[in-house]
Amino acid sequence: MIQSPRAYWEPLWASGRRYRQINDQETQLLAKHLGPGRARPALDVGCGDGAFARHLHHHLDYRATGIDCAPSAAAIAASTDDNVHFQVMDFATDDLNQLPDPAYAVVTCRLVYRFITDKGAFLDRVRQVLAPGGTFWVVTELAGRRTDDDPLKSLGITAHDVELLTWRWSTVKTVDLDRLACFALRP
């Protein structure tokens, strides 16, 4: 039986596990590819501790919402900022009407895409909530960027996954960020 995302991620967040923090190079790429928010809505899917959503809100002026399937992650995020909305939600399966806005100028997915089981269905849901002219911003590790003896070598997405991710967008911009790649995708 396949474990649900909530069952997988909740014990990790509850036990104190933390993940790669955003850095200056990544925030500069965000500013360049997303531009000023002017209080437009942004959705951070798989928000974890909320750092990315907080950056969107406080530094780029988006009205950010962060969602995570792990209640502990959403609780950590909510405890750090009263100005950003955080909620428990599995974007892949929960009702999208639970989101506070019907459409988002920006949807972000940082270090999460690799773990999505049904990537095609996930991307269809992103398109459902992305406002016309909006940007889907994905940060993910690419396969082959770690040495063969690295136990985390399997974390990267494959060339097939990249093709699926970038298919059906009118504009695709990709920027390398060490082991990661950042994708700015527009309908």
Side-chain angles (χ1 to χ4, degrees):
M1 183 171 150
I2 296 175
Q3 191 175 32
S4 76
R6 182 169 290 148
Y8 177 81
W9 291 107
E10 175 57 21
L12 295 171
W13 281 103
S15 70
R17 179 117 180 237
R18 297 299 176 264
Y19 300 89
R20 179 183 171 136
Q21 294 299 303
I22 57 176
N23 60 31
D24 289 341
Q25 185 181 10
E26 193 172 353
T27 60
Q28 290 168 5
L29 288 172
L30 267 177
K32 177 181 177 182
H33 290 277
L34 301 184
R38 295 186 285 281
R40 293 176 299 157
L43 178 66
D44 184 22
V45 178
C47 70
D49 67 8
F52 213 65
R54 285 191 304 277
H55 182 81
L56 290 168
H57 178 81
H58 293 292
H59 298 281
L60 296 179
D61 193 34
Y62 284 92
R63 187 169 34 84
T65 295
I67 61 172
D68 203 289
C69 66
S72 291
I76 291 165
S79 72
T80 60
D81 197 324
D82 291 335
N83 296 309
V84 178
H85 176 76
F86 294 102
Q87 70 185 64
V88 176
M89 180 178 183
D90 185 337
F91 184 80
T93 59
D94 288 345
D95 182 357
L96 296 178
N97 290 319
Q98 293 177 15
L99 293 169
D101 292 286
Y104 294 84
V106 169
V107 176
T108 62
C109 179
R110 182 178 183 271
L111 306 178
V112 172
Y113 184 73
R114 182 260 182 252
F115 297 98
I116 302 299
T117 305
D118 187 344
K119 290 174 176 51
F122 177 83
L123 293 168
D124 286 343
R125 289 174 73 86
V126 168
R127 287 181 185 92
Q128 267 184 274
V129 299
L130 191 63
T135 302
F136 180 36
W137 179 259
V138 179
V139 178
T140 189
E141 188 165 333
L142 297 178
R145 293 207 172 167
R146 290 183 185 259
T147 61
D148 287 340
D149 61 341
D150 189 327
L152 300 178
K153 183 171 177 56
S154 67
L155 287 182
I157 65 170
T158 66
H160 174 74
D161 292 334
V162 171
E163 185 176 332
L164 181 62
L165 173 64
T166 58
W167 180 62
R168 292 180 47 199
W169 300 96
S170 66
T171 304
V172 175
K173 294 183 181 175
T174 307
V175 180
D176 280 339
L177 181 66
D178 58 65
R179 290 184 185 131
L180 308 176
C182 302
F183 297 87
L185 308 165
R186 293 187 175 90

